[in-house]
Amino acid sequence: MKMNNLVELLLYNNEFTGTIPTELGLLNYLESFALSYNSLKGGIPSEIGNLKNLSLLHLQGNMLTGNTEWMTNCMIWGEDRSFVADCGIPSGVSDPLKCKCCNICCNVYERCQTSSSEEMTPGAFAAVSLGSFAGFVLLFGFVTMCIIARHKLKSVFGDLDVYTLSGTDSVYSLILGKGWIGVIITVITVVIQCLLFAGFLQAAYFGYDNSDWVYTIRCPSNRLECDDERGLSTYAWAISGVFIMISLLPDLLNGLKLIGKAALFHSFRCFTIGIVLVFVTTLAIVTSFFYNYAIAQSDTEMIINAAVLLFVNDVDERVLLVLENVCFAWLKDRKEEAKEYSEQLLHGVVRQNVVQSYRVSYNDPVIAHLMRRIVELEEICVTSSVTDSADTGSDDSECFKSTVSHLNGSESQSEHGKCAESLS
């Protein structure tokens, strides 16, 4: 009897053995084919590729092996197809099945999951995300330098100094200090954080042998419909997202501010800390999303997972706490150096803006002398706030006050000339 016009062939949950017959490729009108939960071996015959009308193909619960390289164009079966096979992990055979067009993969425990998760690994997505963000940061830095160069702004990134932005309770701030020991400690801390996040990302990969991925779909042997038992709600994703952003957004913004201030101060140290903050924070956000998507089965579990990953993001603060207990005196010196470096940056940019704001010409002998003194002493005199001491040079300070008043039009030319003569 000819069966060329057969539309549906459901043979699931029997005790069939052997291999899938290649003659199935002759059933041109076949739309639904189920051979699930039998004892079939071998591979999926390429002749099935001739069945252009096929929308349901259930082959799970067997011992099929090999791959489906002949499945070159999955879209011929449409996006709503239901192709299920034993392509999940762990597998019960030595040569696990690789089904390119299967949208649901089951493992040896008869637990299933959508295989769309395997299209891009979390590591690859993290690399793409971080690469894109790196491009954004470079663009941000370029635009920042253009704004500063155009408007000569004293500060467009808030009043906080770079030491505060880098985190007074973070080991990252040691980069602002002197010597290489603080830098080495910071690098080791960042490497540890990246390795921890990489471990979570790998565990969240659907195709990894030791994956933590939780298979939440059940495809019973007595029916064709599959049920997703994951109990996550949109509310849980929203709450988890808000929780993560509240925790990580300050670090992200501080990192961007440091990159902006690096352009303002021409400081490589500020730029380095800003990049580290942005990189680690972005990696924490990406990892939190993927790991929760992979293993969370309830609303509370999602929030707990987010909290655990936030702890990894705070490793830099924990390392600083350890240093405070192990080498308090050394750490105190490094913090003082970081504060001093931060103040030097601030003084330098204020000094530059004082000169630019009054459009002072260095041809003026008074200003030329005063600027040389300021550079030598690494101090700044703004308006009437000047320190009159023997170390800073009281005559120079008084002349600087006189010059500022002259440039504002509140002092006569003769008084300014007297000051110039006293320095000549």
Side-chain angles (χ1 to χ4, degrees):
M1 186 176 92
K2 294 184 178 180
M3 302 175 61
N4 296 33
N5 297 326
L6 191 64
V7 174
E8 190 175 73
L9 181 59
L10 307 179
L11 302 173
Y12 59 89
N13 198 21
N14 287 286
E15 297 180 1
F16 294 134
T17 59
T19 61
I20 300 175
T22 58
E23 289 78 9
L24 285 170
L26 301 175
L27 305 178
N28 297 324
Y29 296 97
L30 192 63
E31 297 179 1
S32 301
F33 177 54
L35 266 176
S36 53
Y37 298 104
N38 286 287
S39 299
L40 300 174
K41 297 181 179 180
I44 302 177
S46 59
E47 285 76 8
I48 291 181
N50 299 327
L51 308 179
K52 309 301 182 185
N53 297 318
L54 197 63
S55 61
L56 185 146
L57 177 65
H58 285 195
L59 300 174
Q60 75 275 15
N62 290 286
M63 294 179 285
L64 301 177
T65 58
N67 55 51
T68 57
E69 294 180 353
W70 50 268
M71 288 185 174
T72 56
N73 184 13
C74 301
M75 295 310 298
I76 62 174
W77 294 295
E79 294 182 355
D80 297 330
R81 67 185 182 277
S82 177
F83 282 17
V84 187
D86 295 325
C87 44
I89 296 174
S91 174
V93 295
S94 58
D95 182 20
L97 178 68
K98 295 184 182 354
C99 184
K100 181 179 178 181
C101 294
C102 290
N103 49 6
I104 295 181
C105 286
C106 301
N107 59 22
V108 68
Y109 305 116
E110 299 183 0
R111 303 288 293 185
C112 309
Q113 189 55 274
T114 56
S115 61
S116 58
S117 312
E118 201 174 10
E119 293 179 358
M120 177 178 281
T121 67
F125 185 84
V128 172
S129 300
L130 293 173
S132 301
F133 209 88
F136 165 76
V137 168
L138 292 176
L139 179 62
F140 177 82
F142 175 76
V143 172
T144 298
M145 288 189 290
C146 291
I147 293 175
I148 293 173
R150 180 176 178 83
H151 298 286
K152 300 180 176 63
L153 301 176
K154 183 174 80 172
S155 176
V156 293
F157 301 102
D159 297 329
L160 294 178
D161 60 275
V162 296
Y163 177 62
T164 303
L165 289 174
S166 63
T168 58
D169 56 350
S170 171
V171 74
Y172 300 157
S173 62
L174 296 181
I175 295 179
L176 299 176
K178 298 178 181 178
W180 286 98
I181 297 179
V183 176
I184 293 173
I185 293 174
T186 303
V187 170
I188 293 175
T189 302
V190 174
V191 170
I192 291 174
Q193 288 178 296
C194 291
L195 290 176
L196 289 173
F197 283 129
F200 280 104
L201 283 172
Q202 188 177 41
Y205 176 37
F206 181 79
Y208 179 52
D209 289 341
N210 296 320
S211 174
D212 291 341
W213 193 289
V214 177
Y215 287 62
T216 59
I217 296 177
R218 292 297 301 271
C219 297
S221 60
N222 59 348
R223 57 190 175 91
L224 295 176
E225 294 79 12
C226 296
D227 302 318
D228 192 347
E229 299 177 351
R230 187 188 295 266
L232 294 179
S233 64
T234 305
Y235 171 80
W237 280 107
I239 292 297
S240 179
V242 170
F243 176 65
I244 292 172
M245 293 310 298
I246 289 176
S247 303
L248 298 181
L249 190 58
D251 286 345
L252 191 62
L253 293 177
N254 286 344
L256 292 175
K257 288 180 180 179
L258 280 169
I259 294 171
K261 284 183 178 288
L264 182 68
F265 298 148
H266 305 288
S267 170
F268 181 74
R269 298 186 199 179
C270 290
F271 181 76
T272 302
I273 299 176
I275 289 294
V276 168
L277 271 174
V278 170
F279 176 82
V280 174
T281 305
T282 306
L283 187 59
I285 294 173
V286 173
T287 304
S288 181
F289 169 78
F290 269 107
Y291 196 71
N292 267 318
Y293 183 76
I295 75 166
Q297 299 186 69
S298 65
D299 294 353
T300 54
E301 188 175 349
M302 174 177 285
I303 297 175
I304 292 173
N305 292 338
V308 171
L309 289 168
L310 287 176
F311 174 78
V312 178
N313 190 70
D314 292 338
V315 166
D316 55 300
E317 299 176 5
R318 303 300 172 183
V319 171
L320 195 71
L321 288 176
V322 172
L323 292 176
E324 286 182 348
N325 288 278
V326 174
C327 46
F328 177 79
W330 176 87
L331 184 61
K332 183 179 179 181
D333 291 340
R334 301 293 80 76
K335 286 185 175 181
E336 291 299 325
E337 291 171 358
K339 293 178 183 178
E340 181 180 353
Y341 179 78
S342 179
E343 292 173 357
Q344 288 175 357
L345 292 180
L346 181 61
H347 288 171
V349 76
V350 172
R351 176 188 63 201
Q352 180 183 10
N353 281 285
V354 166
V355 175
Q356 290 176 346
S357 63
Y358 289 109
R359 300 179 181 178
V360 176
S361 170
Y362 283 91
N363 294 325
D364 189 310
V366 177
I367 300 303
H369 177 80
L370 285 174
M371 291 308 299
R372 285 195 299 270
R373 290 289 294 158
I374 292 173
V375 171
E376 291 172 1
L377 300 174
E378 285 296 326
E379 293 183 351
I380 184 63
C381 303
V382 182
T383 62
S384 62
S385 177
V386 182
T387 303
D388 296 328
S389 63
D391 294 335
T392 59
S394 58
D395 292 339
D396 291 348
S397 300
E398 292 300 328
C399 282
F400 187 67
K401 287 186 201 177
S402 172
T403 302
V404 171
S405 299
H406 166 67
L407 292 170
N408 280 323
S410 59
E411 183 175 308
S412 65
Q413 179 67 34
S414 58
E415 292 175 343
H416 176 65
K418 293 178 181 179
C419 189
E421 292 175 0
S422 67
L423 294 174
S424 58

